[in-house]
């Protein structure tokens, strides 16, 4: 039905008018042609489909055949695997082949070993063949052999330590070859030296060409060793030339001769060594300096004097035998602490002479030569420190027990300077000697141990002594102390007169001396550098439990300065010690002022109780100052004041002298004000007498302290008011007029006081004017 509709639609489209029937044949022909084409296409498609079906069937059959074949093969494999699993034939075969394979591997390894040994022997023979004519060529073979040895060493590590004998053999060959090469070249130079009669030559002479050529060849041989060695290496030609001196050294200082005695090492051995180097210094520089410069000038060791300076190279060659001698001597010295300390000091002096005289750096251009001392102290530092600690403490005890230890050393400084005790001066001298002993040490931790374990320990001991002295003084002078501790008659007698002042001056002067000494030391280069090193170490140290020498950060900080390890640049090594002694000094100064006040209180007791201030003189003219005499009760106080002034002016510096007296005089001013001026009534004659007495006190003060009487200014101003005349002469202000003005009001009072140029307040002025009997009502 659907086909008919399509045909109908086609005919309707082609035959729309009667005219279209005329072309009907053409239309039918076209339709037939199209039908034939379609049929042809359909036949082709049918054939292709049939062909595809046959091909697919063939492939399906082939695939099925392959699948069957695979399953068959898999089954066969499974069967064989099962048979293999149940059979021990493969393991047996492996076991049978294992031993032959091992033997084969050993044979192969042995063959390789033999080839390697042949190469080693070949390189050794090549190196030998070039000596002594061409050491540079010998070095090429030696260098290849050395590299082979190093490579084997590295491979041995990767192979868990295999081929021990081979690696050891190659190393021994390398070492033996190097020794043989050096000996061959050294023998050549020794022959030359023997012909020239070395060392019986003129130190000012020039060596010949053959000698220089042998010297240069030995240097050529050693250049690689010099360039790649981490430490200083003795130069071979210098070593050869030094052997005769080494033998001489052993003969003199390491035999049974008297000069071999350890006790005389500083008197004979060290001077001999320095004199030897000094004798041949010019000879080595002039003859061999140019050769060394040409070989090492543009190398990595050009800054090291042990290679550039033949004199320093000579020292390097001679140091081993000196080290041997020093080691033997130290072994004896450790049994005797006194000798050990002396030996270390002499050894440091020897090291300094070598460094300074010959510019010897030991191959360390950055830090310089540590010296033989550092090598000895690396082993025996604790022993040396204990010896010095014992010596210093014993010396301190001797200082403190000498008869004049606690007496003031008036000859220590000029007048106007504070005087310490003999003990304080000797203690600081002892500490200075300790500094002299360890300031030449190279190792920082050693210096820090000396500072803390010896110097600061002695300073702590002496500080405790000063503190104990002050505590004993307080116990004797205080009521509570006398009640609980008990005081002997001898102790009380020691404080009579200037005894108390002397005791306190000893403490003050000694503490002041230590403080000033430590401050001076803190400005010295050694201690400034020491502090900078400590700061640098503390800032970067990660181990706070061991800052240096086994001492923790907190321990070092507590003994030296609280600014250790901080960014504060104002600290010094002795901050904590200076602070402790400054506290003792301050306390001593305070006690001095109090002792003066107590002395004045006792001395002025009778004067304060004098009742005759209100007595009316029979003759008013007697009140004239030129006819007055000091009140008899003031004679003793003036004598005591003069005694105290005289003593303190000798013992104290001017600044502290003025301070303690100003404090004491201010208290005297208050005492006279309250116990005399405000406690009595005064007539004109009594006021004049009091004025004369105060002037006598002021004159005494001015004699020792210029302008020191200013501490009595308020008392003097009060005496001015107290001495106003009842009947003034001329235009002078009278007592009555001033009294009226002062008691009128504050403004008038201020005006009156200004006219008198008086500094008292109106309230104080009223109280003073009321002390006149004329104003009693």
């Amino acid at each position: 039905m659907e086909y008919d509709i399509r045909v109908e639609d086609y005919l309707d489209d082609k035959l729309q008018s009667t005219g279209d029937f005329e072309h009907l044949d053409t239309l039918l022909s076209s339709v037939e042609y199209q039908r034939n084409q379609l049929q042809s296409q359909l036949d082709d498609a049918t054939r292709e489909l049939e062909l595809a079906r046959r091909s697919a069937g063939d492939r399906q059959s082939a695939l099925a055949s392959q699948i069957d074949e695979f399953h068959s093969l898999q089954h066969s494999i499974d069967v064989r695997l099962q048979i293999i699993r149940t059979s021990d034939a493969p393991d047996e075969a492996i076991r049978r082949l294992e031993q032959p394979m091992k033997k084969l591997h050993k044979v192969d390894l042995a063959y390789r070993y033999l080839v390697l040994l042949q190469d080693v022997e070949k390189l050794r023979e090549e190196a030998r063949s070039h000596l002594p004519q061409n050491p540079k060529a010998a070095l090429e073979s030696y260098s290849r052999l050395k590299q082979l040895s190093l490579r084997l060493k590295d491979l041995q590590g990767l192979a868990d330590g295999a081929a021990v004998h081979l690696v050891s053999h190659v190393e021994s060959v390398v070492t033996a070859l190097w020794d043989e090469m050096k000996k061959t070249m050294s023998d050549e130079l020794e022959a030359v030296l023997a012909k020239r009669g070395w060392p019986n030559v003129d130190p000012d002479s020039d060596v010949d060409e053959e000698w220089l050529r042998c010297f240069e060849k030995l240097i050529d041989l050693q250049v690689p060793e010099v360039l790649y060695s981490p430490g200083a290496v003795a130069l071979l030609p210098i070593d050869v030339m030094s052997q005769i001196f080494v033998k001489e050294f052993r003969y003199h200082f390491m035999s049974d001769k008297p000069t071999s005695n350890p006790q005389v090492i500083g008197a004979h051995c060290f001077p001999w060594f320095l004199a030897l180097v000094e004798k041949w210094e010019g000879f080595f520089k002039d003859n061999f300096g140019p050769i060394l410069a040409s070989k090492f000038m543009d190398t990595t060791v050009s800054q090291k004097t042990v290679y550039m300076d033949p004199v320093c190279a000579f020292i390097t060659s001679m140091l081993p035998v000196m080290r041997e001698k020093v080691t033997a001597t130290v072994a004896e010295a450790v049994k005797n602490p006194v000798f050990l300390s002396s030996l270390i000091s002499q050894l440091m002096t020897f090291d300094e002479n070598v460094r300074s005289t010959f510019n010897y750096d030991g191959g360390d251009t950055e830090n310089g030569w540590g010296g033989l001392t550092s090598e000895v102290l690396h082993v025996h530092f604790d022993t040396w420190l204990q010896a010095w600690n014992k010596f210093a403490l014993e010396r301190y005890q001797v200082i403190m027990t000498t008869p004049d230890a606690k007496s003031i050393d008036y000859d220590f400084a000029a007048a106007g300077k504070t005087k310490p005790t003999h003990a304080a001066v000797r203690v600081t001298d002892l500490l200075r000697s300790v500094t002299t002993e360890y300031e030449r040490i190279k190792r920082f931790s050693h210096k820090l141990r000396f500072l803390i374990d010896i110097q600061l320990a002695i300073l702590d001991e002496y500080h405790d002594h000063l503190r104990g002295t002050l505590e004993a003084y307080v116990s004797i002078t205080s009521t509570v102390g006398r009640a609980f501790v008990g005081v002997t008659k001898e102790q009380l007698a020691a404080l009579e007169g200037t005894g108390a002042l002397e005791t306190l001056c000893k403490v003050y002067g000694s503490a002041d001396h230590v403080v000033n000494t430590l401050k001076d030391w803190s400005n010295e280069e050694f201690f400034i550098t020491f502090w900078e090193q400590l700061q640098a170490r503390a800032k970067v140290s990660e181990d706070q439990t061991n800052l240096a020498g086994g001492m923790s950060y907190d321990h070092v900080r507590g003994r030296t300065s609280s600014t250790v390890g901080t960014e504060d640049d104002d600290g010094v090594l002795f901050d904590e010690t200076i602070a402790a002694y400054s506290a003792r000094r301050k306390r001593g100064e305070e006690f001095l002022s109090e002792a003066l006040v107590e002395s004045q209180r006792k001395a002025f007791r009778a004067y304060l109780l004098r009742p005759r201030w209100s007595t009316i003189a029979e003759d008013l003219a007697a009140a004239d100052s030129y006819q007055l005499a000091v009140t008899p009760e003031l004679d003793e106080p003036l004598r005591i004041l003069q005694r105290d002034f005289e003593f303190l002016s000798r013992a104290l510096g001017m600044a502290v002298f003025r301070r303690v007296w100003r404090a004491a005089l201010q208290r005297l001013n208050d005492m006279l004000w309250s116990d005399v001026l405000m406690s009595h009534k005064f007539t004109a004659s009594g006021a004049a007498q009091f004025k004369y007495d105060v002037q006598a006190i002021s004159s005494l003060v001015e004699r020792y302290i210029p302008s020191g009487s200013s501490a009595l200014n308020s008392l003097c101003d009060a005496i001015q008011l107290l001495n106003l005349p009842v009947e003034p002469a001329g235009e002078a202000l009278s007592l009555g007029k001033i009294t009226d003005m002062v008691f009128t009001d504050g403004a008038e009072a201020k005006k009156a006081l200004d006219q008198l140029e008086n500094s008292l307040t109106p309230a104080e002025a009223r109280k003073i004017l009321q002390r006149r009997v004329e104003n009693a009502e």
Side-chain angles (χ1 to χ4, degrees):
M1 185 65 181
E2 183 178 354
Y3 173 76
D4 293 340
I5 293 173
R6 289 200 302 270
V7 171
E8 182 180 354
D9 291 338
Y10 178 80
L11 292 175
D12 289 341
D13 180 60
K14 297 297 183 180
L15 300 174
Q16 295 180 2
S17 66
T18 56
D20 292 332
F21 286 100
E22 295 178 359
H23 304 288
L24 183 60
D25 293 336
T26 303
L27 177 63
L28 291 174
S29 298
S30 175
V31 170
E32 181 64 21
Y33 176 75
Q34 292 178 359
R35 186 191 71 80
N36 292 334
Q37 283 185 329
L38 292 173
Q39 185 63 46
S40 177
Q41 292 175 356
L42 177 61
D43 293 341
D44 292 339
T46 301
R47 284 194 300 272
E48 290 177 358
L49 175 62
E50 183 64 24
L51 181 61
R53 284 176 179 174
R54 286 198 302 271
S55 176
D58 293 340
R59 285 198 298 270
Q60 185 69 26
S61 299
L63 181 61
S65 176
Q66 290 176 356
I67 291 173
D68 292 338
E69 185 178 353
F70 172 77
H71 285 302
S72 176
L73 180 60
Q74 180 67 40
H75 177 70
S76 176
I77 291 173
D78 291 340
V79 172
R80 281 181 286 178
L81 284 175
Q82 184 65 29
I83 294 172
I84 291 173
R85 290 193 190 100
T86 58
S87 174
D88 58 356
D91 291 337
E92 182 64 25
I94 292 173
R95 282 195 295 271
R96 290 178 179 178
L97 291 174
E98 190 175 49
Q99 291 302 320
M101 291 300 294
K102 286 184 177 179
K103 292 181 179 179
L104 182 60
H105 177 69
K106 289 182 178 179
V107 170
D108 181 65
L109 188 61
Y111 172 75
R112 294 176 183 272
Y113 276 14
L114 288 175
V115 172
L116 179 60
L117 292 175
Q118 287 178 348
D119 292 340
V120 170
E121 188 63 26
K122 179 181 179 181
L123 291 172
R124 177 164 63 175
E125 291 302 324
E126 286 181 2
R128 287 172 171 173
S129 66
H130 294 295
L131 295 177
Q133 295 80 12
N134 191 352
K136 290 184 178 180
L139 274 175
E140 294 180 4
S141 300
Y142 171 79
S143 298
R144 290 168 59 192
L145 186 57
K146 180 70 174 179
Q147 291 172 0
L148 176 60
S149 174
L150 295 176
R151 178 58 177 164
L152 287 175
K153 192 72 174 177
D154 294 339
L155 293 175
Q156 183 187 35
L158 297 175
D160 298 328
V164 175
H165 296 295
L166 177 66
V167 174
S168 299
H169 173 72
V170 175
E171 286 183 348
S172 63
V173 169
V174 172
T175 302
L177 176 61
W178 179 241
D179 292 339
E180 183 180 348
M181 292 169 65
K182 290 193 294 184
K183 186 177 186 308
T184 301
M185 300 303 300
S186 298
D187 289 345
E188 183 184 26
L189 179 58
E190 286 179 358
V192 172
L193 294 177
K195 292 179 182 179
R196 275 60 174 183
W198 173 258
N200 298 319
V201 299
D202 185 358
D204 296 326
S205 63
D206 295 332
V207 301
D208 56 70
E209 288 298 325
E210 184 180 7
W211 191 341
L212 290 176
R213 187 166 55 255
C214 289
F215 187 97
E216 186 174 4
K217 285 195 292 186
L218 269 172
I219 293 296
D220 288 337
L221 180 68
Q222 202 179 7
V223 165
E225 181 185 16
V226 169
L227 296 181
Y228 299 109
S229 294
V233 177
L235 297 182
L236 288 176
I238 303 293
D239 259 352
V240 174
M241 298 174 66
S242 301
Q243 289 308 306
I244 185 65
F245 301 120
V246 172
K247 293 177 182 178
E248 184 179 352
F249 183 95
R250 292 184 180 279
Y251 173 76
H252 287 299
F253 307 114
M254 301 180 71
S255 63
D256 56 356
K257 295 180 67 66
T259 50
S260 297
N261 190 329
Q263 296 284 347
V264 298
I265 186 173
H268 298 290
C269 184
F270 294 154
W272 181 92
F273 186 97
L274 296 172
L276 175 71
V277 178
E278 187 175 359
K279 174 183 178 181
W280 295 101
E281 179 179 10
F283 179 83
F284 278 98
K285 280 183 178 293
D286 295 341
N287 291 293
F288 307 116
I291 295 178
L292 296 184
S294 66
K295 300 299 180 182
F296 301 117
M297 178 62 73
D298 297 324
T299 67
T300 56
V301 299
S302 60
Q303 300 300 318
K304 298 182 178 181
T305 60
V306 292
Y307 303 127
M308 297 298 294
D309 186 345
V311 178
C312 293
F314 181 43
I315 293 173
T316 302
S317 294
M318 292 296 299
L319 279 179
V321 69
M322 175 61 79
R323 184 178 292 109
E324 186 179 347
K325 171 64 178 178
V326 168
T327 301
T329 304
V330 171
E332 295 294 325
V334 293
K335 304 173 185 177
N336 185 344
V338 176
F339 177 40
L340 178 62
S341 296
S342 174
L343 174 62
I344 296 297
S345 179
Q346 294 177 62
L347 192 56
M348 285 192 289
T349 301
F350 170 76
D351 291 342
E352 283 297 321
N353 287 333
V354 172
R355 291 191 198 96
S356 59
T357 305
F358 307 109
N359 194 30
Y360 186 71
D361 65 8
D364 189 342
T365 56
E366 182 176 351
N367 302 312
W369 182 49
L372 296 178
T373 308
S374 63
E375 298 175 17
V376 171
L377 294 183
H378 181 71
V379 179
H380 300 288
F381 173 75
D382 287 337
T383 304
W384 181 49
L385 179 67
Q386 291 171 6
W388 251 101
N389 196 3
K390 181 180 179 182
F391 165 76
L393 289 177
E394 289 177 351
R395 177 59 185 155
Y396 171 77
Q397 297 299 332
V398 170
I399 289 173
M400 298 305 294
T401 54
T402 52
D404 63 342
K406 298 179 181 179
S407 61
I408 298 175
D409 186 0
Y410 291 103
D411 297 329
F412 177 78
K417 301 292 183 180
T418 299
K419 312 301 190 299
T421 59
H422 289 281
V425 176
R426 291 166 186 166
V427 166
T428 53
D429 289 343
L430 171 62
L431 297 178
R432 168 56 76 184
S433 68
V434 175
T435 300
T436 304
E437 190 66 22
Y438 78 86
E439 66 182 349
R440 295 180 290 175
I441 299 176
K442 290 293 184 179
R443 191 169 179 180
F444 173 81
S445 60
H446 290 170
K447 291 188 287 188
L448 188 61
R449 288 282 301 279
F450 252 87
L451 172 71
I452 292 179
D453 292 358
I454 298 181
Q455 289 183 303
L456 296 185
I458 291 177
L459 287 170
D460 288 347
E461 287 275 346
Y462 191 59
H463 171 265
D464 291 342
H465 165 73
L466 297 181
R467 181 174 59 187
T469 301
L470 289 179
E471 291 173 351
Y473 173 81
V474 173
S475 299
I476 296 172
T477 56
S478 67
T479 304
V480 176
R482 288 194 297 269
F484 285 94
V485 179
V487 181
T488 64
K489 293 181 179 180
E490 290 77 10
Q491 289 175 320
L492 290 174
L495 299 182
E496 293 296 327
T498 58
L501 298 179
E502 184 175 3
T503 299
L504 296 173
C505 283
K506 291 175 183 178
V507 174
Y508 178 88
S510 298
D512 181 73
H513 173 67
V514 173
V515 169
N516 292 333
T517 299
L518 295 182
K519 288 183 177 179
D520 290 341
W521 288 358
S522 299
N523 292 322
E524 293 180 2
E525 181 181 1
F526 170 71
F527 286 107
I528 292 175
T529 304
F530 197 170
W531 170 251
E532 291 173 350
Q533 291 174 339
L534 177 60
Q535 279 286 65
R537 182 179 290 256
K539 289 177 181 179
V540 302
S541 177
E542 296 181 357
D543 186 3
Q544 297 294 304
T545 62
N546 185 14
L547 181 61
M551 294 179 288
S552 67
Y553 168 80
D554 291 335
H555 177 69
V556 174
R557 182 173 180 268
R559 298 304 304 279
T560 56
S561 172
S562 59
T563 61
V564 169
T566 67
E567 298 300 326
D568 189 351
D569 295 331
D570 296 330
V572 295
L573 279 173
F574 303 102
D575 275 345
E576 296 300 319
T577 306
I578 290 175
Y581 275 90
S582 296
R584 300 286 76 75
R585 181 176 63 176
K586 181 180 179 182
R587 194 63 176 146
E589 183 177 333
E590 292 171 351
F591 282 156
L592 274 173
S593 295
E594 294 174 4
L596 286 175
V597 170
E598 180 63 18
S599 175
Q600 293 168 3
R601 186 184 64 79
K602 293 179 180 179
F604 279 84
R605 184 175 298 160
Y607 183 79
L608 298 179
L609 298 176
R610 180 181 183 276
R612 296 189 298 277
W613 301 111
S614 58
T615 302
I616 300 175
E618 296 180 0
D619 185 1
L620 292 178
D624 293 341
S625 59
Y626 65 89
Q627 294 182 353
L628 293 175
V630 172
T631 301
E633 291 83 357
L634 189 61
D635 288 339
E636 182 63 12
L638 288 177
R639 186 190 67 80
I640 292 176
L641 280 176
Q642 184 173 2
R643 179 202 67 191
D644 293 345
F645 269 121
E646 191 68 30
F647 174 78
L648 292 180
S649 65
R650 295 178 60 222
L652 298 178
M654 183 53 66
V656 64
F657 178 74
R658 294 178 70 93
R659 285 199 304 271
V660 297
W661 273 110
R662 173 169 289 279
L665 292 174
Q666 287 174 346
R667 293 285 293 277
L668 177 61
N669 179 86
D670 296 341
M671 182 174 63
L672 294 177
W673 180 289
S674 61
D675 294 347
V676 177
L677 187 59
M678 303 306 295
S679 299
H680 297 89
K681 297 292 184 178
F682 291 84
T683 60
S685 58
Q689 183 63 55
F690 187 46
K691 177 180 179 181
Y692 190 83
D693 290 346
V694 172
Q695 287 176 342
I697 296 173
S698 297
S699 297
L700 179 61
V701 172
E702 289 293 326
R703 189 188 312 169
Y704 291 94
I705 308 176
S707 303
S709 61
S710 59
L712 304 174
N713 278 349
S714 60
L715 183 63
C716 293
D717 287 341
I719 290 174
Q720 181 190 24
L721 291 180
L722 196 65
N723 278 272
L724 288 172
V726 178
E727 299 294 336
E731 298 181 357
L733 296 174
S734 65
L735 176 64
K737 184 176 181 181
I738 292 297
T739 301
D740 291 341
M741 294 178 67
V742 168
F743 281 91
T744 299
D745 55 37
E748 285 295 314
K750 183 64 176 172
K751 181 179 179 181
L753 293 173
D754 289 343
Q755 290 180 2
L756 294 173
E757 297 181 354
N758 197 292
S759 61
L760 296 178
T761 65
E764 292 173 336
R766 295 185 187 104
K767 292 179 181 179
I768 298 301
L769 292 172
Q770 287 177 344
R771 309 320 299 165
R772 282 292 292 267
V773 295
E774 290 83 355
N775 294 329
E777 298 179 359

